């Protein structure tokens, strides 16, 4: 049974209930002072606590999509993905291959020209050789005859770390939100390319080109747009692409827009931070390259380099988010530049979680839609 299976969660709940009832039932019999009785009480209490902890953890993982499998949870997911050729006659099919298609969750429509479509894809970086899965949302207009020659603005959407790309589809509801906003005329139809920034699992690369390691920044700045453009009618001109992310993905979104404004005309960071951390999940990202390390610090970038011609959006909350002070400081720094534009969403309260980001995603999609061109 998989980590995210409902059967696992139900089993954990049943075990916790049985242990709780057993503890209450057996407690009088274990009330003596012998070592066996004391050991029995300790064992029952520990078992019950562990069962409750596991139940809460499984429920939280189902709600927020932290880990996709047991291997992911225990750090055993180390192999990169393998591209399987599904095209006719064994042809390569290019750097992006569609694995499967599905309807947009929460949208009642039997045909893609009415409700849009989700495509699960494999992406192979021609320059970096990074291989990663992703989900692509195609709006209904993409399939309608009157739009057959039109290109569409495109937004890359990133999870946090470790994150699962599927959570962007069915937990944070990016496709159904985009479909609803476009249907109501509050944003233009857009292609969404949804994936996690962890392109070399389980390592957290922070979207950095690691010397002698994964070239994550080059993948997002070069390989990913190239792969999408070979397969979809995505906008090719400057100003057609944006990037959105939460937490680690939020930091990546801001950095990609600031480092590569000719690729990403807008970047939105939901609950972002502003400097790449160094911890056991990242390892040594810079290997003594001080210039690379400095450029990964967005405050340093604003102070020491020419302001990039891009638009940025940052979000936080006055109560519940640890990045509030840093975010207000970042807004002030950007406002002092001549070229970079800055917008913000500041909630009165909201934690670093899916519920907060679901409140911020609709205005974020509207914001980025208004800053991207469709040609």
């Amino acid at each position: 049974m998989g980590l995210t299976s409902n059967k696992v969660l139900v089993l954990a709940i049943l075990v916790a209930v049985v242990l709780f009832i057993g503890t209450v039932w057996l407690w009088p019999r274990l009330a003596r002072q012998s070592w066996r009785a004391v050991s029995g009480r300790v064992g029952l209490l520990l078992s019950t606590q562990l069962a409750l902890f596991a139940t809460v953890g499984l429920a939280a993982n189902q709600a927020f999509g932290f880990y996709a499998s047991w291997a992911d949870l225990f750090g055993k997911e180390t192999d990169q993905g393998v591209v399987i050729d599904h095209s006719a006659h064994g042809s390569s099919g290019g750097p992006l291959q569609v694995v499967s298609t599905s309807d947009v969750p929460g949208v009642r429509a039997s045909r893609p020209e009415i409700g849009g479509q989700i495509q699960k894809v494999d992406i192979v970086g021609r320059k970096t050789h990074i291989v990663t899965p992703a989900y692509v949302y195609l709006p209904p207009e993409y399939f309608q005859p009157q739009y057959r020659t039109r290109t569409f603005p495109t937004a890359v959407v990133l999870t946090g770390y470790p994150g699962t790309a599927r959570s962007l589809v069915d937990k944070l509801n990016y496709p159904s939100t985009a479909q609803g906003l476009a249907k109501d005329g509050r944003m233009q139809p857009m292609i969404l390319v949804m994936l996690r920034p962890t392109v070399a699992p389980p390592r957290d690369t922070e979207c950095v080109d690691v010397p002698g390691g994964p070239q994550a920044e080059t993948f997002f700045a070069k390989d990913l747009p190239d792969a999408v453009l070979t397969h979809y009618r995505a906008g090719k001109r400057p100003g057609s692409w944006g990037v959105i992310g939460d937490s680690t993905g939020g930091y990546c979104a801001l950095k990609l827009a600031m480092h590569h404004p000719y690729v990403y005309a807008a970047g939105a960071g939901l609950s972002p931070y502003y400097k790449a951390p160094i911890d056991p999940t990242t390892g040594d990202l810079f290997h003594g390259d001080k210039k690379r390390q400095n450029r990964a610090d967005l405050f340093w970038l604003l102070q020491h380099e020419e302001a990039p011609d891009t638009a940025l959006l940052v979000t936080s909350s006055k109560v519940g988010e640890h990045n509030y002070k840093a975010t207000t400081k970042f807004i002030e720094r950007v406002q002092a530049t001549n070229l970079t534009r800055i917008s913000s969403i500041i909630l009165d309260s909201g934690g670093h979680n899916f519920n907060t980001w679901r409140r911020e995603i609709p205005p974020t999609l509207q914001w980025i839609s208004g800053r991207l061109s469709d040609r």
Side-chain angles (χ1 to χ4, degrees), residues 102-138:
S102 62
D103 295 335
V104 176
V107 176
R108 295 183 178 179
S110 58
R111 293 178 296 171
E113 61 267 27
I114 298 175
Q117 188 179 81
I118 304 293
Q119 296 189 350
K120 185 177 181 180
V121 303
D122 287 331
I123 297 173
V124 183
R126 284 177 166 169
K127 186 176 181 64
T128 63
H129 306 294
I130 287 173
V131 181
T132 190
Y135 291 89
V136 176
Y137 162 71
L138 301 173

Side-chain angles (χ1 to χ4, degrees), residues 167-186:
S167 68
L168 297 169
V169 177
D170 54 20
K171 295 291 193 299
L172 289 175
N173 307 321
Y174 271 96
S176 59
T177 302
Q179 198 268 358
L181 289 172
K183 184 178 180 180
D184 294 341
R186 290 187 285 168

Side-chain angles (χ1 to χ4, degrees), residues 200-214:
R203 188 175 189 180
D204 177 11
T205 61
E206 295 291 323
C207 300
V208 166
D209 280 349
V210 181

Side-chain angles (χ1 to χ4, degrees), residues 158-369:
L158 302 174
T159 70
Y161 175 83
T164 61
R166 186 68 197 181
S167 68
L168 297 169
V169 177
D170 54 20
K171 295 291 193 299
L172 289 175
N173 307 321
Y174 271 96
S176 59
T177 302
Q179 198 268 358
L181 289 172
K183 184 178 180 180
D184 294 341
R186 290 187 285 168
M187 66 172 280
Q188 59 180 320
M190 293 173 54
I191 296 172
L192 303 180
V193 183
M194 299 165 284
L195 68 164
R196 60 182 187 170
T198 313
V199 291
R203 188 175 189 180
D204 177 11
T205 61
E206 295 291 323
C207 300
V208 166
D209 280 349
V210 181
Q215 303 295 288
E217 183 168 349
T218 298
F219 173 81
F220 285 109
K222 177 65 176 174
D223 284 346
L224 179 61
D226 285 352
V228 172
L229 287 169
T230 63
H231 197 88
Y232 298 106
R233 298 196 313 276
K236 296 182 180 180
R237 296 183 181 180
S240 298
W241 283 66
V243 56
I244 305 170
D246 60 73
S247 192
T248 298
Y251 162 72
C252 288
L254 297 177
K255 182 173 69 173
L256 288 168
M258 295 176 72
H259 284 189
H260 308 278
Y262 53 88
V263 178
Y264 296 108
L270 311 184
S271 306
Y273 45 87
Y274 304 96
K275 179 181 179 180
I278 300 295
D279 58 33
T281 66
T282 66
D284 186 355
L285 293 175
F286 305 106
H287 295 269
D289 189 332
K290 195 65 178 178
K291 181 179 179 181
R292 197 185 299 260
Q293 184 172 358
N294 285 338
R295 295 195 81 244
D297 182 339
L298 303 187
F299 282 103
W300 184 95
L301 195 68
L302 288 169
Q303 186 173 354
H304 293 88
E305 294 193 3
E306 183 178 355
D309 184 7
T310 191
L312 305 176
L313 170 70
V314 291
T315 80
S316 187
S317 61
K318 296 177 182 177
V319 177
E321 280 282 19
H322 59 81
N323 74 333
Y324 176 66
K325 289 184 179 180
T327 296
T328 57
K329 183 180 178 182
F330 184 76
I331 293 170
E332 292 173 358
R333 288 284 181 89
V334 176
Q335 285 179 318
T337 69
N338 297 322
L339 205 53
T340 309
R341 285 83 64 199
I342 186 73
S343 303
S344 67
I345 299 172
I346 305 296
L347 303 176
D348 289 332
S349 66
H352 197 80
N353 55 51
F354 279 18
N355 183 59
T356 296
W357 299 329
R358 278 191 288 262
R359 296 159 61 194
E360 297 167 343
I361 286 169
T364 297
L365 285 171
Q366 289 180 268
W367 175 86
I368 207 164
S369 168

